[in-house]
Amino acid sequence: MADVRYEQATKLYSGTDVPAVDALDLEVEDGEFMVLVGPSGSGKTTALRMLAGLEEVDAGAVLIGGRDVTDLPPKKRDVAMVFQNYALYPYLTVSQNIAFPLKMAGVKKAERERQAAEVARRLGMERYLGRKPSQLSGGERQRVAMGRAIIRQPSVFLMDEPLSNLDAKLRVQMRADIAALQRDLGVTTVYVTHDQAEAMTLGHRVAVLDHGRLQQVGEPRELYDRPTNRFVAGFIGSPAMNLCDVTCEHGAVSFGGERVELGPAVANGSGAVVLGLRPEALEVGLEGLPARVEVVEEFGADAFVFSSAQIGGEETRLVARTEARRAPAQGERIFLRVKPEEAHLFDAETGQRLGA
Amino acid sequence: MSAVTAPVALVRRRPPASVRRKRFLLAVANHSLLIAAAVAFLAPFIFILLTSLMTNNQALSTSLWPHPIRWSNFYDVFTKAPFWRWALNTLQYSVLATIGLVLSSVPVAYALARLRWRGRQVSFLIVLIALMLPPQVTVVPLYVMWAKLHLVGTLWPVILPNWFGDAFSIFLLRQFFLTIPEEYLDAARVDGCGELRIVATVVTRLAKPAIAAVALFSFLYTFNDFFLPLLYTGENPHHWVLSLGLSEFRSLHQVQWNLTMAATLLVMAPVIVLFFLAQRAFVEGVTLTGVKG
């Protein structure tokens, strides 16, 4: 086990001007489960591949356990990786696939088979040891890929969107399994996903990337409650946070004609700002901002009400969360009231968070 | 409580008579066409087989069916000409050339397909140019080179070039290697493989159809090759291969057609057996390259 450090790590692909990963500074503690999350092209997979040694680091450094591994080949970094498409060798059995890293390390056949059986038992795959990958389901293949990663007892696990090829139900189950396995083994893990639900449920900490730059790193709750900028605010949370361009005067904003007092932290703010409101920060009530319901999405106990309202003379789409049993009907006219204590404020130009 | 009902047997619907008639006629037309084509392709082979079992007089007559059937023709081929020697030479040429070609082409194709290095595109371009170069252009300078090395008259001038890669094989393998998902190679790298080991343990296994196709193409080409063995070993019958021996068979024995056909059949036999054994790989290879076999 070991800690991982990116120090100003940069990757610039030939033929491009914009770095895929731009001066990344990130520290992953020993035994920590760090999730790299971001939209397509944010540089999260490239950052992971730089750590694995599969991409060259053009500037800066990558350290594992305090050792500079920037110029070491993958096999000398003591890392194991799980790939999006599992990368199981189709011509090998489950047992041989799991034991492949040991074979490369020159471990004797009997010992390889013993360890592969032990790992398979741990993953509940002992019945499938003689099967080929083509005879397994997606979830079983995923387990074999995990087995191949853990058999060598590496310092760091790297996982590149390992659940994205599974169906929704299996994904939830495998998510729990991965979390339990990481907890049991206590191995430092860097996990890449574009699925924020995965990021929020799995990660001890989550690093949000966009256009190759680290936007924010912190615990899932911190990212949700205190997004550091407009991008993180919009990216974390589903449905996304409502972001409205409003004017701030003496610590209060005008929200479609409604005056919303925003606590002491932004009392002195003034001028154009972006007001961020999570769906649960908007209440459907009898008074407030008038809006018309466009769509209602019901999720068992809760419902999300997608509506449109006039804010600053512009048609703005807003989403509010409400109890499913009291959800308005499509086309109905409703009133939205802001919970000021749950409002976020961002600079209109820089997008940075204003206030505490 | 829910009522349990017995499963109802499915009564399959019969298409209308007009549809059935149309399908039947279409099947008859398709099969007739394919049977006619098969007969057209098989006819020369059957002619060779029947002639090889005739006496020489019968072979020159209009009779098509051998009477009596003369199996001893096949024995005579071996006694009246150094057939074993030619067969051994052919095997030496085909096997050594094929092994060398596969061993040299696979790493080159991998380097062109999967490794990032300066000059890769230019190198691939050179391979493409070599692929387009007509063999007649290089024959004379190559002959001079082998003559200076005192190897003309032996089989080495036809075997050794294959040990330095073959443009067509490199091109074919490169195209196949490009289709191998990068994750397999990345997984092997992380799991402790160097590039040579990746080629030996992962790529060769994943690219088995392509490698089999290349080996098969090479074996068939060298087995049937007439021009190069004639050029380099024409003056030395001790190193003749089967194709060369076969062409000389008539002049050696005053056109004994029955023996000539028996020898032809013996030369064809290994190729036919090999094709049926490796039919799948061969067809996959043809599909892979879009070239005719």
Side-chain angles (χ1 to χ4, degrees), chain B residues 67-267:
Chain B
H67 184 78
I69 292 174
R70 227 178 107 92
W71 293 104
S72 59
N73 285 346
F74 291 98
Y75 176 76
D76 292 347
V77 168
F78 288 96
T79 54
K80 292 190 175 176
F83 205 81
W84 280 120
R85 159 63 49 195
W86 296 340
L88 276 175
N89 287 341
T90 307
L91 214 62
Q92 187 191 358
Y93 173 26
S94 297
V95 170
L96 287 181
T98 301
I99 290 173
L101 183 135
V102 170
L103 286 180
S104 57
S105 298
V106 167
V108 176
Y110 177 73
L112 288 172
R114 287 300 184 193
L115 300 183
R116 279 176 258 173
W117 46 282
R118 198 185 292 268
R120 183 174 74 158
Q121 294 304 327
V122 176
S123 303
F124 182 57
L125 205 67
I126 292 169
V127 171
L128 286 182
I129 291 168
L131 189 66
M132 293 165 198
L133 211 62
Q136 290 83 349
V137 175
T138 55
V139 159
V140 174
L142 277 176
Y143 188 90
V144 172
M145 186 189 86
W146 290 118
K148 283 184 177 169
L149 290 169
H150 304 291
L151 287 173
V152 170
T154 70
L155 278 171
W156 292 115
V158 292
I159 295 171
L160 282 178
N162 292 288
W163 285 79
F164 296 93
D166 163 65
F168 172 70
S169 307
I170 290 169
F171 174 74
L172 187 148
L173 289 170
R174 175 191 177 267
Q175 297 310 102
F176 190 87
F177 291 167
L178 285 174
T179 67
I180 295 175
E182 188 70 38
E183 279 93 339
Y184 284 126
L185 313 179
D186 284 342
R189 284 180 191 119
V190 173
D191 287 339
C193 291
E195 295 304 328
L196 269 178
R197 202 156 187 193
I198 289 175
V199 173
T201 59
V202 179
V203 172
T204 48
R205 298 293 295 271
L206 290 172
K208 219 159 84 175
I211 293 170
V214 162
L216 208 59
F217 282 143
S218 164
F219 192 88
L220 293 182
Y221 175 78
T222 49
F223 195 89
N224 295 321
D225 189 14
F226 176 77
F227 176 65
L228 288 178
L230 175 69
L231 186 70
Y232 290 110
T233 67
E235 299 294 315
N236 186 359
H238 188 69
H239 285 118
W240 279 0
V241 292
L242 280 171
S243 57
L244 220 52
L246 198 62
S247 76
E248 294 295 312
F249 210 84
R250 281 172 298 172
S251 53
L252 281 172
H253 299 286
Q254 290 85 42
V255 199
Q256 291 195 52
W257 286 111
N258 56 339
L259 294 189
T260 306
M261 291 305 168
T264 305
L265 206 64
L266 286 171
V267 173

